[in-house]
Amino acid sequence: METVDNKQVVIDFYEAGARGDMDTCFALIADDITWRNIGSTKFSGTFAGKQALTEELLGPLFGQLKAGITSTIEALIAEDDIVVALTKGKAETHDGTPYNNTYCQVMRIADGKIAEVTEYMDTALVDAVFGKKP
């Protein structure tokens, strides 16, 4: 795929998320995705495959939020099959604590799908809002 097409996959992913269209979000993720969250937070680690991503990361994280995370793309940088998304996320926990983080997601696109993600964020904020990893 062309670099511009790879950027469009990422744009489509974030736009679907903003609409709450999780079916489209998951259709844009490869079945064998590898998703890495950096750091040592309770949400850090490597999640291999859609099932692990859903059960081990998204379920526990989104279960603590009122309405998921609203993400805004600040910039997209792409070369070949790599797209870097600089985003801002806005969310609130069930007890009303704001969770507004800044992210850098380095994504590899393969066959029109997001195949690999390494996500960088303010890990001190993750710990402050959700508690440290036991």
Side-chain angles (χ1 to χ4, degrees):
M1 288 182 71
E2 298 282 330
T3 300
V4 68
D5 297 324
N6 291 334
K7 284 175 81 172
Q8 191 61 52
V9 169
V10 174
I11 291 167
D12 292 346
F13 176 78
Y14 281 106
E15 287 179 350
R19 292 190 309 271
D21 181 357
M22 297 314 291
D23 289 338
T24 298
C25 282
F26 278 98
L28 292 168
I29 295 174
D31 290 337
D32 61 348
I33 187 166
T34 299
W35 190 294
R36 291 178 199 86
N37 278 356
I38 60 95
S40 57
T41 73
K42 62 172 42 176
F43 301 118
S44 295
T46 300
F47 308 93
K50 281 185 183 178
Q51 184 173 351
L53 179 64
T54 301
E55 293 175 1
E56 298 171 24
L57 175 61
L58 300 179
L61 173 59
F62 286 15
Q64 296 187 49
L65 301 173
K66 284 184 180 178
I69 299 173
T70 302
S71 296
T72 304
I73 297 172
E74 298 288 310
L76 289 178
I77 303 158
E79 184 172 333
D80 299 324
D81 63 348
I82 301 296
V83 179
V84 178
L86 304 176
T87 65
K88 291 193 182 266
K90 192 171 186 177
E92 186 176 350
T93 65
H94 289 293
D95 69 3
T97 302
Y99 174 63
N100 304 321
N101 212 332
T102 302
Y103 303 90
C104 175
Q105 291 107 353
V106 180
M107 303 181 184
R108 185 176 60 80
I109 311 301
D111 299 321
K113 296 189 181 226
I114 300 168
E116 191 172 341
V117 176
T118 301
E119 183 171 78
Y120 302 86
M121 82 284 305
D122 180 347
T123 56
L125 178 62
V126 174
D127 286 345
V129 172
F130 300 105
K132 293 189 177 229
K133 187 175 194 172

